[in-house]
Amino acid sequence: MMELILLTSLLLNFASSQAQPQAQAPCYREPPTFCPTCGAGTVTELGGLKAYVTGPPHSKKAVLMISDIYGDEPPIYRSVADKVAGAGFLVVAPDFFHGDAANPSNPKYDKDTWRKNHTTDKGYEDAKPVIAALKEKGVSAVGAAGFCWGGKVAVKLASNQDVQAAVLLHPSNVTEDEIKAVKVPIAVLGAERDNGLPPAQMNRFDEILSAKPKFDHLVKTYPGVCHGWTLRYFVNDTFAVNSAAEAHEDMIYWFEKHFKCDK
């Protein structure tokens, strides 16, 4: 059943791609499908939030995945969580929106109201009890992977040393001051075609982090892709699929590099 729903999601992207190549894909225009039962993991409560949890339950290293506005139920998002779990991490992908993920196909959805109800400041506060719950379970190293909306939450965690390493994937609305405040190893993965985070801004982030030699950093711009490419891509576009996979592997490598504890 999970495979069928994931295939359906990919086929919907395929149909859309007939009119538009990936590099100019309308990244906000086609929302993903939602599947609360997809994935190899389970849904449970952790730190006061419902969360998709996957990977070895007794691992000493964990990755907190912080989603884009579409939450934890899109099949591709959960498949990325499962991929990270396959590298030996306990992966937790909470529902930071409390059952109210953005859904532009819903006629009652209002973007401005949704944004007011789901701020990244609240996301940051909600993330801290989840991290505490992981530590109580015996986890000794936690990383944060923030996608789009979640990137701003992840950079706050990295600034306050709530996590030991962070990866921002096509983050939204992250400021230079927030990058200056980072205190742990951080990777920023951006798209060549992202009006919100253009390559020039990525270069500025690299300059800021290069002036902070106490910890490692990576700033990488992926050519020919647009905002959201790691989660939203067209299945018939080999280049897009490979670009997403490259970013996933870069994320996994970053956490492996900076987590030296036993599984």
Side-chain angles (χ1 to χ4, degrees):
M1 182 65 179
M2 179 190 71
E3 291 82 0
L4 177 60
I5 295 174
L6 179 57
L7 178 60
T8 301
S9 175
L10 294 175
L11 288 174
L12 287 172
N13 282 342
F14 172 83
S16 299
S17 71
Q18 302 309 296
Q20 184 131 19
Q22 195 276 342
Q24 281 124 50
C27 295
Y28 292 103
R29 196 171 301 161
E30 291 94 7
T33 58
F34 297 90
C35 176
T37 60
C38 282
T42 58
V43 176
T44 186
E45 184 175 313
L46 190 69
L49 294 180
K50 178 178 73 69
Y52 177 73
V53 179
T54 181
H58 302 297
S59 177
K60 299 296 184 183
K61 54 185 185 179
V63 172
L64 175 68
M65 282 182 49
I66 311 166
S67 71
D68 61 11
I69 63 173
Y70 297 110
D72 69 301
E73 293 185 356
I76 291 177
Y77 182 69
R78 289 194 174 182
S79 73
V80 174
D82 292 338
K83 182 186 293 187
V84 177
F89 298 96
L90 174 62
V91 180
V92 177
D95 172 16
F96 284 98
F97 309 128
H98 304 275
D100 185 37
N103 187 0
S105 62
N106 184 341
K108 295 183 179 180
Y109 172 75
D110 179 76
K111 179 172 65 175
D112 293 334
T113 300
W114 189 92
R115 286 177 174 176
K116 290 178 182 178
N117 291 337
H118 303 292
T119 66
T120 51
D121 286 341
K122 185 176 186 304
Y124 169 67
E125 293 301 325
D126 284 346
K128 290 191 287 186
V130 177
I131 294 170
L134 287 169
K135 296 291 182 68
E136 290 175 4
K137 289 170 62 70
V139 170
S140 56
V142 180
F147 299 77
C148 187
W149 180 93
K152 197 169 180 73
V153 177
V155 79
K156 291 176 185 289
L157 294 169
S159 300
N160 292 290
Q161 295 180 290
D162 297 295
V163 295
Q164 283 66 59
V167 179
L168 315 185
L169 302 98
H170 39 87
S172 292
N173 302 315
V174 171
T175 67
E176 291 185 12
D177 285 343
E178 287 172 324
I179 294 296
K180 289 176 182 177
V182 168
K183 298 181 179 68
V184 300
I186 189 167
V188 185
L189 311 183
E192 179 184 24
R193 304 189 181 194
D194 187 340
N195 292 332
L197 184 60
Q201 188 61 44
M202 289 284 287
N203 291 340
R204 179 61 184 143
F205 285 176
D206 191 28
E207 291 172 1
I208 293 170
L209 291 168
S210 294
K212 299 165 72 74
K214 290 184 179 180
F215 57 84
D216 194 13
H217 80 278
L218 169 69
V219 176
K220 180 176 178 178
T221 298
Y222 296 72
V225 295
C226 71
H227 178 86
W229 90 98
T230 68
L231 299 177
R232 317 259 305 285
Y233 49 82
F234 301 133
V235 66
N236 71 315
D237 190 333
T238 301
F239 175 77
V241 172
N242 289 343
S243 293
E246 180 182 351
H248 301 158
E249 292 304 319
D250 288 342
M251 171 177 58
I252 291 169
Y253 172 75
W254 191 255
F255 291 128
E256 288 178 332
K257 180 180 181 181
H258 295 288
F259 291 173
K260 303 301 183 183
C261 60
D262 295 332
K263 294 182 179 181

mmCIF file of all heavy atoms in Angstrom, residues 12-32:
data_model
loop_
_atom_site.group_PDB
_atom_site.id
_atom_site.type_symbol
_atom_site.label_atom_id
_atom_site.label_comp_id
_atom_site.label_asym_id
_atom_site.label_seq_id
_atom_site.Cartn_x
_atom_site.Cartn_y
_atom_site.Cartn_z
ATOM 1 N N LEU A 12 1.945 11.895 -10.129
ATOM 2 C CA LEU A 12 1.346 13.228 -10.194
ATOM 3 C C LEU A 12 2.399 14.258 -10.572
ATOM 4 O O LEU A 12 2.151 15.167 -11.372
ATOM 5 C CB LEU A 12 0.700 13.584 -8.852
ATOM 6 C CG LEU A 12 -0.601 12.866 -8.526
ATOM 7 C CD1 LEU A 12 -1.022 13.173 -7.090
ATOM 8 C CD2 LEU A 12 -1.710 13.253 -9.494
ATOM 9 N N ASN A 13 3.571 14.108 -10.004
ATOM 10 C CA ASN A 13 4.660 15.000 -10.380
ATOM 11 C C ASN A 13 5.056 14.806 -11.834
ATOM 12 O O ASN A 13 5.371 15.750 -12.547
ATOM 13 C CB ASN A 13 5.875 14.761 -9.485
ATOM 14 C CG ASN A 13 5.716 15.400 -8.133
ATOM 15 O OD1 ASN A 13 4.892 16.279 -7.949
ATOM 16 N ND2 ASN A 13 6.513 14.940 -7.165
ATOM 17 N N PHE A 14 5.008 13.558 -12.292
ATOM 18 C CA PHE A 14 5.328 13.254 -13.688
ATOM 19 C C PHE A 14 4.368 13.971 -14.623
ATOM 20 O O PHE A 14 4.760 14.577 -15.614
ATOM 21 C CB PHE A 14 5.248 11.744 -13.911
ATOM 22 C CG PHE A 14 5.383 11.350 -15.369
ATOM 23 C CD1 PHE A 14 6.633 11.221 -15.937
ATOM 24 C CD2 PHE A 14 4.270 11.109 -16.148
ATOM 25 C CE1 PHE A 14 6.769 10.865 -17.263
ATOM 26 C CE2 PHE A 14 4.395 10.757 -17.469
ATOM 27 C CZ PHE A 14 5.646 10.635 -18.031
ATOM 28 N N ALA A 15 3.080 13.937 -14.300
ATOM 29 C CA ALA A 15 2.082 14.585 -15.147
ATOM 30 C C ALA A 15 2.330 16.081 -15.216
ATOM 31 O O ALA A 15 2.238 16.709 -16.275
ATOM 32 C CB ALA A 15 0.676 14.298 -14.617
ATOM 33 N N SER A 16 2.673 16.674 -14.093
ATOM 34 C CA SER A 16 2.944 18.110 -14.066
ATOM 35 C C SER A 16 4.168 18.454 -14.893
ATOM 36 O O SER A 16 4.237 19.506 -15.516
ATOM 37 C CB SER A 16 3.148 18.589 -12.627
ATOM 38 O OG SER A 16 1.998 18.362 -11.858
ATOM 39 N N SER A 17 5.133 17.550 -14.922
ATOM 40 C CA SER A 17 6.403 17.850 -15.583
ATOM 41 C C SER A 17 6.273 17.904 -17.091
ATOM 42 O O SER A 17 7.147 18.424 -17.768
ATOM 43 C CB SER A 17 7.442 16.797 -15.209
ATOM 44 O OG SER A 17 7.152 15.564 -15.814
ATOM 45 N N GLN A 18 5.183 17.384 -17.657
ATOM 46 C CA GLN A 18 5.032 17.418 -19.096
ATOM 47 C C GLN A 18 4.927 18.853 -19.605
ATOM 48 O O GLN A 18 5.281 19.141 -20.737
ATOM 49 C CB GLN A 18 3.783 16.624 -19.508
ATOM 50 C CG GLN A 18 3.821 15.169 -19.053
ATOM 51 C CD GLN A 18 5.104 14.470 -19.437
ATOM 52 O OE1 GLN A 18 5.391 14.302 -20.611
ATOM 53 N NE2 GLN A 18 5.891 14.058 -18.463
ATOM 54 N N ALA A 19 4.469 19.750 -18.735
ATOM 55 C CA ALA A 19 4.311 21.141 -19.132
ATOM 56 C C ALA A 19 5.480 22.009 -18.706
ATOM 57 O O ALA A 19 5.649 23.107 -19.200
ATOM 58 C CB ALA A 19 3.020 21.708 -18.544
ATOM 59 N N GLN A 20 6.307 21.532 -17.802
ATOM 60 C CA GLN A 20 7.358 22.392 -17.240
ATOM 61 C C GLN A 20 8.550 21.559 -16.793
ATOM 62 O O GLN A 20 8.400 20.612 -16.051
ATOM 63 C CB GLN A 20 6.801 23.145 -16.039
ATOM 64 C CG GLN A 20 7.780 24.120 -15.465
ATOM 65 C CD GLN A 20 7.146 25.466 -15.274
ATOM 66 O OE1 GLN A 20 5.953 25.595 -15.239
ATOM 67 N NE2 GLN A 20 7.966 26.482 -15.145
ATOM 68 N N PRO A 21 9.773 21.863 -17.211
ATOM 69 C CA PRO A 21 10.948 21.133 -16.744
ATOM 70 C C PRO A 21 11.236 21.429 -15.297
ATOM 71 O O PRO A 21 10.829 22.448 -14.758
ATOM 72 C CB PRO A 21 12.073 21.661 -17.656
ATOM 73 C CG PRO A 21 11.604 23.012 -18.080
ATOM 74 C CD PRO A 21 10.112 22.913 -18.177
ATOM 75 N N GLN A 22 12.013 20.568 -14.649
ATOM 76 C CA GLN A 22 12.243 20.673 -13.218
ATOM 77 C C GLN A 22 12.879 21.993 -12.822
ATOM 78 O O GLN A 22 12.512 22.580 -11.802
ATOM 79 C CB GLN A 22 13.106 19.502 -12.734
ATOM 80 C CG GLN A 22 13.112 19.314 -11.224
ATOM 81 C CD GLN A 22 14.100 20.202 -10.520
ATOM 82 O OE1 GLN A 22 15.018 20.736 -11.135
ATOM 83 N NE2 GLN A 22 13.917 20.366 -9.223
ATOM 84 N N ALA A 23 13.824 22.477 -13.599
ATOM 85 C CA ALA A 23 14.558 23.654 -13.187
ATOM 86 C C ALA A 23 13.654 24.868 -13.003
ATOM 87 O O ALA A 23 13.956 25.774 -12.249
ATOM 88 C CB ALA A 23 15.647 23.977 -14.209
ATOM 89 N N GLN A 24 12.516 24.910 -13.705
ATOM 90 C CA GLN A 24 11.576 26.004 -13.532
ATOM 91 C C GLN A 24 10.278 25.538 -12.887
ATOM 92 O O GLN A 24 9.233 26.132 -13.078
ATOM 93 C CB GLN A 24 11.281 26.639 -14.886
ATOM 94 C CG GLN A 24 12.403 27.579 -15.298
ATOM 95 C CD GLN A 24 13.000 27.265 -16.607
ATOM 96 O OE1 GLN A 24 12.293 27.101 -17.568
ATOM 97 N NE2 GLN A 24 14.299 27.204 -16.651
ATOM 98 N N ALA A 25 10.351 24.441 -12.156
ATOM 99 C CA ALA A 25 9.141 23.892 -11.550
ATOM 100 C C ALA A 25 8.512 24.893 -10.596
ATOM 101 O O ALA A 25 9.201 25.568 -9.846
ATOM 102 C CB ALA A 25 9.485 22.615 -10.779
ATOM 103 N N PRO A 26 7.167 25.037 -10.605
ATOM 104 C CA PRO A 26 6.482 25.929 -9.668
ATOM 105 C C PRO A 26 6.443 25.276 -8.297
ATOM 106 O O PRO A 26 5.496 24.596 -7.924
ATOM 107 C CB PRO A 26 5.091 26.072 -10.288
ATOM 108 C CG PRO A 26 4.887 24.810 -11.059
ATOM 109 C CD PRO A 26 6.249 24.369 -11.525
ATOM 110 N N CYS A 27 7.492 25.494 -7.518
ATOM 111 C CA CYS A 27 7.728 24.695 -6.317
ATOM 112 C C CYS A 27 6.636 24.828 -5.272
ATOM 113 O O CYS A 27 6.474 23.941 -4.446
ATOM 114 C CB CYS A 27 9.082 25.065 -5.716
ATOM 115 S SG CYS A 27 10.451 24.627 -6.797
ATOM 116 N N TYR A 28 5.910 25.939 -5.288
ATOM 117 C CA TYR A 28 4.861 26.123 -4.291
ATOM 118 C C TYR A 28 3.493 25.781 -4.856
ATOM 119 O O TYR A 28 2.508 25.750 -4.126
ATOM 120 C CB TYR A 28 4.853 27.567 -3.794
ATOM 121 C CG TYR A 28 6.071 27.938 -2.991
ATOM 122 C CD1 TYR A 28 7.093 28.696 -3.553
ATOM 123 C CD2 TYR A 28 6.207 27.528 -1.676
ATOM 124 C CE1 TYR A 28 8.210 29.036 -2.818
ATOM 125 C CE2 TYR A 28 7.326 27.858 -0.934
ATOM 126 C CZ TYR A 28 8.318 28.610 -1.509
ATOM 127 O OH TYR A 28 9.436 28.941 -0.779
ATOM 128 N N ARG A 29 3.406 25.578 -6.159
ATOM 129 C CA ARG A 29 2.105 25.502 -6.801
ATOM 130 C C ARG A 29 1.462 24.124 -6.683
ATOM 131 O O ARG A 29 0.245 24.006 -6.569
ATOM 132 C CB ARG A 29 2.236 25.888 -8.278
ATOM 133 C CG ARG A 29 0.913 26.221 -8.932
ATOM 134 C CD ARG A 29 1.127 26.795 -10.309
ATOM 135 N NE ARG A 29 1.946 28.013 -10.250
ATOM 136 C CZ ARG A 29 2.578 28.517 -11.299
ATOM 137 N NH1 ARG A 29 2.522 27.902 -12.465
ATOM 138 N NH2 ARG A 29 3.289 29.618 -11.181
ATOM 139 N N GLU A 30 2.238 23.063 -6.761
ATOM 140 C CA GLU A 30 1.683 21.716 -6.672
ATOM 141 C C GLU A 30 1.980 21.114 -5.304
ATOM 142 O O GLU A 30 3.085 20.654 -5.065
ATOM 143 C CB GLU A 30 2.244 20.797 -7.761
ATOM 144 C CG GLU A 30 1.792 21.147 -9.162
ATOM 145 C CD GLU A 30 2.783 22.054 -9.871
ATOM 146 O OE1 GLU A 30 3.860 22.292 -9.306
ATOM 147 O OE2 GLU A 30 2.456 22.532 -10.969
ATOM 148 N N PRO A 31 1.018 21.132 -4.390
ATOM 149 C CA PRO A 31 1.267 20.544 -3.072
ATOM 150 C C PRO A 31 1.426 19.035 -3.180
ATOM 151 O O PRO A 31 0.893 18.410 -4.110
ATOM 152 C CB PRO A 31 0.009 20.911 -2.275
ATOM 153 C CG PRO A 31 -1.042 21.121 -3.305
ATOM 154 C CD PRO A 31 -0.337 21.691 -4.504
ATOM 155 N N PRO A 32 2.150 18.431 -2.261
ATOM 156 C CA PRO A 32 2.322 16.976 -2.308
ATOM 157 C C PRO A 32 1.056 16.261 -1.856
ATOM 158 O O PRO A 32 0.130 16.874 -1.312
ATOM 159 C CB PRO A 32 3.458 16.746 -1.307
ATOM 160 C CG PRO A 32 3.285 17.847 -0.313
ATOM 161 C CD PRO A 32 2.828 19.040 -1.108
#
